[in-house]
Amino acid sequence: MLLRLRVSLPDRPGALGQVARALGALGADILQVTVLERESGRAVDDFTVSWPGAATTDEVRDRLSAVPGIRIEGVWTTREVPGSAPDYDLLMHVAAEPGRAFATLVDALPGLCGAEWSLAMSGGEVRHASLSAPAAFDLDEPPLRAATRVSEKLRLMLLPVSAHDMHVVVARSEGPGFHRAEVERAARIVDVVSALSLR
């Protein structure tokens, strides 16, 4: 099972090694580590791991929380394929077929963002939707800039596409809200796809 773990740890030599040792002792294989932030003496990292068996996210959280100084901010299943270049693959597909730019984008974003679904909306209507996305979605007060929202059931990333009078919505039901580093990355991807679609 592929899992993503968001971990807050002391920003000091050896702390990352402690997390790696703890994951190794639990039988997890670390496939990728992404540093999201480093400030105030702490770092926030996302680990993508291959977890043996069918452990629940609560079991994973409990086992890792025992490591001193470590805070688990989220554990959720993912479809990411670490080591590949999904951003570039997406942009190559869009460049090859700019007329399908936003359909391609919303199909790719869940895998790129560790989310369940995404869609593109214009004028209150869903124009493109990935698998598992709802057929209709109510986006109250669409933001003018990239933003996040958290409700009881969903963590949302909202990305305006002003050139097309559109908003892209990315949703995650498990794990933490979207980190600002994730939002910035997705916003840059959306900007490039928007520019390619206008060629």
Side-chain angles (χ1 to χ4, degrees), residues 52-65:
T56 68
T57 55
D58 286 339
E59 288 174 312
V60 174
R61 182 188 307 274
D62 291 345
R63 291 168 135 188
L64 287 178
S65 293

Side-chain angles (χ1 to χ4, degrees), residues 11-125:
D11 190 10
R12 65 170 187 259
L16 186 59
Q18 275 187 294
V19 176
R21 277 192 298 281
L23 288 169
L26 296 171
D29 184 14
I30 299 172
L31 304 175
Q32 180 173 295
V33 179
T34 304
V35 178
L36 297 176
E37 70 179 57
R38 295 176 66 195
E39 55 188 44
S40 304
R42 294 195 69 81
V44 176
D45 297 344
D46 272 4
F47 291 80
T48 304
V49 301
S50 174
W51 197 273
T56 68
T57 55
D58 286 339
E59 288 174 312
V60 174
R61 182 188 307 274
D62 291 345
R63 291 168 135 188
L64 287 178
S65 293
V67 178
I70 303 301
R71 287 195 310 257
I72 308 304
E73 295 189 357
V75 179
W76 67 105
T77 56
T78 185
R79 293 178 288 164
E80 292 175 82
V81 182
S84 64
D87 300 24
Y88 300 123
D89 292 342
L90 163 63
L91 297 177
M92 287 299 293
H93 286 295
V94 169
E97 246 185 298
R100 288 191 33 80
F102 288 98
T104 302
L105 174 69
V106 298
D107 283 345
L109 278 174
L112 291 174
C113 299
E116 278 81 31
W117 56 262
S118 66
L119 51 80
M121 299 185 67
S122 181
E125 291 184 25

Side-chain angles (χ1 to χ4, degrees), residues 170-185:
V170 183
R172 174 188 289 162
S173 61
E174 295 181 82
F178 290 99
H179 189 277
R180 70 176 180 264
E182 293 177 290
V183 175
E184 290 167 5
R185 174 183 176 228

